[in-house]
Amino acid sequence: MEISVVVPLKNEEESLPELAAWIDRVCQNANLTYEIVMVDDGSNDTSWKIIEELHASNNRVRGIKFRRNYGKSAALHTAFQVVQGDVVITMDADLQDSPDEIPALYKMIKEEGYDLVSGWKKKRYDPISKTLPTKLFNAATRWMSGIQLHDFNCGLKAYRLDVVKAIEVYGEMHRYIPVIAKWAGFPRIGEKVVEHRSRKYGSTKYGGWDRFINGPLDLMSISFVGKFGKRPMHFFGMLGMLSFFIGFCILLYLSISKTLFQEYGIADRPLFYFGILALIIGSQLFLTGFIAELINRNSSIRNNYLIEKEI
Ligand code: UDP
Ligand code: MG
């Protein structure tokens, strides 16, 4: 099989038949063998029923139904475990991404040797409340990761099969897949300008104010995990050593000045408390480092999702 199209969706009943027909048309015309994996991420409309109908009329359409809503990252991760196509293409269900881009994306992976190609919605059809935060987000992510993409969060992306099998997407990390891929050892990341359309049916699932808090937090944890995920002690140990050393020096200085110059009681000096505090924080950081290392040794519980049905 040449292409797997992965579609995470929540409450997109109106779009699905049109999307499936469109993908089918494009792939047939380009002579590409394909499958579509639709992941129903806890919809409470008739999305799953529609997926079942689409599957009945075209067995290239597969479906996975989550028991509840786990989020887009979970949906992508679960689909990545079952896909089989040489090139995996992810696409939003709301018809904002155009299936017409599939053949060109396929070609970039197959012939130009990219590990990952990310879509770039150069001209966006979204309200300014979405486009402005996105600009900030992209600038911060570029700066932090060193990957020169204009549009990290574009739902339309193409991957070589072994890339999706190797990376782990969890939490809200779907926004940072290029960063995760780079750190996993897939540095050839390309970009393609793609056509973007305004939402035809339904409404956005990512319009809330919590994006402004969660986005920066995710960026911090992704860069932390990327740098120190496999060796947390290097992070905590370094800070702990620094803090411990500062505390030690302060207390040493206080003890010496007390013995040599018979100063008044060292407990009267504010510096004394600072020294003690630094010592305690230092040892706490060390302990945190050890605990992080222990957790690291047996952490495989991140991606556990209850699947209700699979077709
Ligand atoms: N989505 C999902 N789970 C969620 C939220 C969204 O699978 O919890 C899907 C949604 O159905 C759509 C895609 O993720 O196919 C992108 O969501 P949306 O279009 O609402 O985001 P926007 O384009 O507004 O950023
Ligand atoms: Mg959308």
Side-chain angles (χ1 to χ4, degrees):
M1 187 175 327
E2 288 160 313
I3 292 184
S4 294
V5 182
V6 170
V7 183
L9 64 110
K10 185 185 166 208
N11 298 345
E12 309 278 5
E13 54 188 2
E14 303 101 325
S15 313
L16 295 179
E18 211 170 312
L19 182 72
W22 192 353
I23 295 173
D24 179 67
R25 199 168 62 236
V26 170
C27 291
Q28 301 279 8
N29 287 344
N31 243 330
L32 294 165
T33 50
Y34 75 97
E35 65 177 351
I36 305 175
V37 180
M38 296 189 164
V39 186
D40 179 358
D41 182 16
S43 296
N44 37 36
D45 62 1
T46 60
S47 291
W48 179 253
K49 209 174 134 264
I50 291 173
I51 295 173
E52 282 180 331
E53 284 165 17
L54 290 171
H55 173 73
S57 63
N58 175 3
N59 64 7
R60 291 169 182 279
V61 179
R62 302 166 66 189
I64 297 172
K65 179 173 163 56
F66 280 167
R67 253 185 199 286
R68 66 169 175 84
N69 175 247
Y70 287 109
K72 191 173 170 184
S73 291
L76 292 176
H77 178 85
T78 304
F80 286 167
Q81 307 314 302
V82 304
V83 291
Q84 292 166 343
D86 297 340
V87 173
V88 179
I89 294 178
T90 59
M91 183 179 290
D92 289 353
D94 54 5
L95 297 167
Q96 288 197 275
D97 302 327
S98 161
D100 291 339
E101 310 283 353
I102 291 176
L105 287 169
Y106 175 79
K107 221 167 142 199
M108 285 179 79
I109 300 281
K110 268 298 203 204
E111 288 166 21
E112 296 173 33
Y114 287 109
D115 296 317
L116 187 168
V117 177
S118 180
W120 172 15
K121 296 164 286 189
K122 199 166 180 180
K123 178 139 184 45
R124 271 185 75 158
Y125 295 89
D126 275 324
I128 183 130
S129 65
K130 290 206 70 135
T131 50
L132 190 68
T134 303
K135 281 217 168 71
L136 294 176
F137 157 82
N138 281 316
T141 311
R142 264 198 302 276
W143 173 74
M144 207 113 168
S145 66
I147 303 173
Q148 296 306 316
L149 286 182
H150 292 90
D151 188 4
F152 282 85
N153 194 17
C154 184
L156 184 57
K157 287 192 172 60
Y159 310 81
R160 247 194 12 248
L161 184 62
D162 51 335
V163 178
V164 304
K165 299 289 182 191
I167 60 179
E168 207 182 343
V169 192
Y170 64 95
E172 289 287 300
M173 298 303 182
H174 57 268
R175 299 193 181 92
Y176 302 98
I177 296 185
V179 186
I180 298 174
K182 183 183 170 194
W183 271 320
F186 300 101
R188 280 164 308 195
I189 295 172
E191 187 167 51
K192 178 181 187 309
V193 175
V194 295
E195 188 202 339
H196 186 242
R197 301 137 56 88
S198 55
R199 217 178 213 286
K200 197 162 167 189
Y201 309 104
S203 58
T204 176
K205 277 87 195 169
Y206 290 105
W209 56 271
D210 50 339
R211 285 175 298 149
F212 296 99
I213 299 172
N214 296 343
L217 288 179
D218 280 341
L219 186 59
M220 271 155 60
S221 50
I222 191 88
S223 64
F224 174 79
V225 170
K227 286 202 185 78
F228 298 106
K230 295 272 182 282
R231 46 186 179 97
M233 193 52 178
H234 289 193
F235 176 79
F236 293 107
M238 183 183 57
L239 288 181
M241 210 132 67
L242 190 71
S243 180
F244 201 89
F245 181 71
I246 292 174
F248 182 80
C249 289
I250 289 175
L251 293 183
L252 188 70
Y253 159 75
L254 288 175
S255 317
I256 291 175
S257 61
K258 164 92 179 154
T259 26
L260 290 190
F261 309 113
Q262 292 297 322
E263 281 192 7
Y264 50 89
I266 55 175
D268 293 336
R269 305 185 58 175
L271 198 56
F272 174 71
Y273 295 96
F274 186 67
I276 301 247
L277 188 68
L279 273 189
I280 294 176
I281 290 179
S283 46
Q284 289 292 326
L285 282 167
F286 261 105
L287 288 180
T288 310
F290 284 128
I291 291 173
E293 291 283 346
L294 287 180
I295 293 173
N296 223 8
R297 282 163 56 101
N298 41 23
S299 58
S300 52
I301 45 172
R302 263 202 303 273
N303 277 308
N304 251 344
Y305 309 113
L306 286 183
I307 291 172
E308 190 177 325
K309 281 179 204 144
E310 198 171 340
I311 52 176

